[in-house]
Amino acid sequence: MLNKYARAFFTRVLTPFAALLLRLGVSPDAVTLVGTAGVMAGALVFFPMGEFFWGTIVITIFVFSDLVDGNMARQAGISSRWGAFLDSTLDRVADGAIFAGFALWYAGSGDDNTLCAVAIFCLASGQVVSYTKARGESIGLPVAVNGLVERAERLVISLVAAGLAGLHTFGVPGIDILLPIALWIVAAGSLVTLIQRVVTVRRESAEADAAEAAEAAAGQTAADPSAAGSAGRGSEGDR
């Protein structure tokens, strides 16, 4: 849901920066790779140590590369299938690293196996939610549903909560509860989104199969009109 509005806004804001990088000779692929590396470092270095505030700051800085690289490609007129593939693939890597960082914290110093399991579920469900849309589109279906919690929602909810929870180390009491709440929300929302997409693909595939069967029947009738006539006379005799 946030993709529709937030992406358009930040794309406009980041357009001058994207143009500057192009003038400096930086390629969109390089931005994609550096951005993913930065997100992974922020998640897998800071989060397992419980440094949620600084980890979120680092991740937030680099996560905007997902908007900058595409903007650069459009401005330079070099959009390609490879660029789209690389961007989508590394998005999954970055998302996995964020929730892996949460899981490592709760498996270690955070000492909470339940929240560790919730973080792992968020990691896995996020990958599957993305896969369902990609797989549905690969077999020719539109997958015309956005879902309750997509990538933008997962990132915003989890990172805002993590950043605020990190203020606990600066002496803000009780605020660390926000991260567990956010993880439960993302887990539940991802499950709902997964169900929405599976149901949509099931409906669209049934409609596509029915349409193909109708076209095949119409084509057979057109190829052999006598069969239709014989079938019609037979039905009249039956009556």
Side-chain angles (χ1 to χ4, degrees):
M1 291 186 292
L2 287 175
N3 278 334
K4 182 178 180 181
Y5 303 105
R7 181 173 288 271
F9 170 75
F10 284 110
T11 296
R12 289 195 298 271
V13 171
L14 294 171
T15 293
F17 180 62
L20 173 62
L21 291 177
L22 286 172
R23 288 196 296 271
L24 294 175
V26 180
S27 72
D29 287 354
V31 172
T32 302
L33 291 169
V34 170
T36 302
V39 170
M40 293 179 65
L44 298 178
V45 174
F46 289 94
F47 284 176
M49 296 189 300
E51 294 289 345
F52 295 116
F53 179 80
W54 294 115
T56 300
I57 294 298
V58 172
I59 291 170
T60 301
I61 291 172
F62 285 99
V63 81
F64 283 108
S65 66
D66 186 46
L67 300 177
V68 174
D69 55 6
N71 195 316
M72 291 172 65
R74 286 189 294 273
Q75 288 190 48
I78 55 174
S79 297
S80 65
R81 291 182 177 88
W82 162 249
F85 170 81
L86 180 66
D87 184 60
S88 180
T89 300
L90 293 185
D91 280 350
R92 306 288 83 76
V93 173
D95 293 356
I98 290 171
F99 289 102
F102 293 143
L104 288 172
W105 162 251
Y106 286 115
S109 300
D111 193 23
D112 193 319
N113 289 336
T114 299
L115 288 175
C116 176
V118 173
I120 293 172
F121 178 82
C122 290
L123 190 163
S125 61
Q127 306 298 317
V128 176
V129 164
S130 297
Y131 174 79
T132 54
K133 188 173 183 67
R135 183 66 178 123
E137 291 174 343
S138 74
I139 58 176
L141 300 175
V143 196
V145 61
N146 290 324
L148 181 64
V149 175
E150 296 184 291
R151 182 173 188 251
E153 285 83 7
R154 290 196 301 272
L155 289 179
V156 169
I157 293 171
S158 58
L159 291 178
V160 168
L164 292 175
L167 296 176
H168 179 73
T169 59
F170 295 94
V172 180
I175 201 166
D176 51 326
I177 192 63
L178 291 178
L179 181 55
I181 293 173
L183 289 176
W184 280 107
I185 291 174
V186 170
S190 296
L191 179 60
V192 171
T193 303
L194 177 58
I195 293 172
Q196 288 177 304
R197 290 192 173 179
V198 169
V199 169
T200 298
V201 170
R202 177 69 183 88
R203 173 179 54 79
E204 291 178 349
S205 62
E207 292 172 351
D209 291 343
E212 289 178 359
E215 289 177 3
Q220 185 177 8
T221 300
D224 187 7
S226 62
S230 298
R233 287 191 295 273
S235 63
E236 290 174 358
D238 292 341
R239 289 198 298 271

